[in-house]
């Protein structure tokens, strides 16, 4: 359902020329691997995580999470060492197991047919995303991959979305941000982007997401209403 209103053309028609798309939970059904990644890393270095670690790390970039883990658990490790350790925990999943969300290919094909340029904006490391896309034959859709590590900011700040505009050659008036996480959708909306929210079971704030997103999809099985929204018809 539409929430706040997208920027529109003078004739009232919504015109999308670029799409900035999240990876985990939006393109790929991969959020589950992050539920225990922090705990598994700490276990590998002989530490036991406190009960709320997953909730604390949820909105952080990998570098932010590494800095937190260092300050709270392993002060003798550098953030770079922690990032490397966490990546070791999750990389096999991306190289060999992670799968796209059902029917997401229809969204990507639809954008391609409409000459909408696409860029991935993700907190996951580039080489892991590249491996999953390559294995699933999906690399062809995207102009580039931007990571929070590259930008040195998490999605609690708009920097990654702004950087993606330069890659796509678009601006906020004709670019949609597609996300499953409340904090990322809120950041994009606050910065003036049109947003498409996609349901993922790992995000608890569905009621809040529905309130602020311009359009909400429970899944990718029926995109007719979304394409009408995008075309303004």
């Amino acid at each position: 359902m539409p929430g706040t209103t997208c920027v529109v053309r003078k004739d009232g028609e919504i015109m999308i020329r670029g799409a900035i798309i999240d990876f985990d939970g939006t393109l790929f059904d991969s959020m589950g691997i992050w539920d225990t990644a922090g705990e598994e890393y700490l276990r590998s270095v002989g530490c036991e995580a406190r009960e709320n670690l997953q909730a604390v790390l949820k909105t952080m970039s990998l570098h932010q999470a590494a800095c937190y883990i260092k300050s709270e658990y392993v002060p003798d490790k550098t953030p770079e060492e922690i990032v490397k350790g966490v990546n070791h925990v999750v990389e096999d999943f991306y190289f060999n197991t992670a799968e796209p969300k059902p029917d997401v290919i229809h969204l990507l094909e639809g954008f391609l047919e409409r000459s909408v340029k696409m860029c991935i904006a993700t907190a996951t490391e580039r080489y892991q995303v590249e491996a999953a896309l390559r294995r699933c034959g999906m690399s062809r859709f995207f102009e580039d991959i931007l990571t929070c590590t590259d930008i040195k900011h998490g999605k609690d700040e708009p920097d990654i979305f702004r950087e993606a505009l330069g890659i796509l050659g678009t601006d906020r008036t004709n670019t949609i941000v597609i996300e499953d996480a409340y904090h990322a959708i809120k950041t994009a909306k606050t910065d003036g982007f049109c947003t498409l929210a996609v349901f993922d079971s790992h995000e608890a704030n569905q009621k809040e997401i529905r309130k602020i997103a311009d359009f909400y999809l429970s899944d990718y099985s029926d995109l007719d209403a979304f394409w009408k929204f995008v075309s303004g018809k």
Side-chain angles (χ1 to χ4, degrees), residues 9 67 82 150 187 212 230:
R9 292 197 305 189
C67 290
I82 296 168
D150 296 332
T187 298
I212 66 170
V230 168

Side-chain angles (χ1 to χ4, degrees), residues 183-198:
H183 75 282
I185 295 165
K186 185 178 179 181
T187 298
K189 279 298 300 177
T190 301
D191 206 47
F193 285 92
C194 183
T195 56
L196 165 61
V198 179

Side-chain angles (χ1 to χ4, degrees), residues 108-181:
L108 303 181
E109 292 282 10
F111 279 141
L112 209 59
E113 289 168 9
R114 291 164 174 81
S115 301
V116 175
K117 292 182 178 180
M118 292 169 272
C119 175
I120 290 174
T122 178
T124 299
E125 297 296 278
R126 174 185 292 268
Y127 76 99
Q128 295 167 356
V129 173
E130 287 175 338
L133 291 175
R134 188 166 53 246
R135 176 170 50 81
C136 297
M138 294 169 64
S139 304
R140 64 191 176 93
F141 291 109
F142 304 103
E143 302 292 316
D144 204 351
I145 299 164
L146 281 180
T147 74
C148 292
T149 300
D150 296 332
I151 306 302
K152 297 181 172 56
H153 291 277
K155 289 184 180 177
D156 54 335
E157 300 174 277
D159 301 73
I160 195 167
F161 303 127
R162 294 176 181 179
E163 189 75 18
L165 292 176
I167 289 169
L168 295 172
T170 57
D171 57 45
R172 286 175 185 77
T173 66
N174 56 21
T175 304
I176 192 166
V177 172
I178 307 174
E179 284 276 357
D180 66 294

Side-chain angles (χ1 to χ4, degrees), residues 52-60 68:
N52 68 336
L53 181 63
Q54 179 188 337
V56 170
L57 300 183
K58 186 176 178 62
T59 64
M60 296 182 183
Y68 176 84

Side-chain angles (χ1 to χ4, degrees), residues 17-44:
R17 290 289 175 259
I20 303 168
I21 310 176
D22 173 55
F23 188 80
D24 297 290
T26 301
L27 279 174
F28 271 63
D29 192 8
S30 50
M31 283 302 299
I33 193 65
W34 294 102
D35 287 349
T36 57
E39 289 91 336
E40 287 187 30
Y41 165 73
L42 286 172
R43 214 167 287 127
S44 75

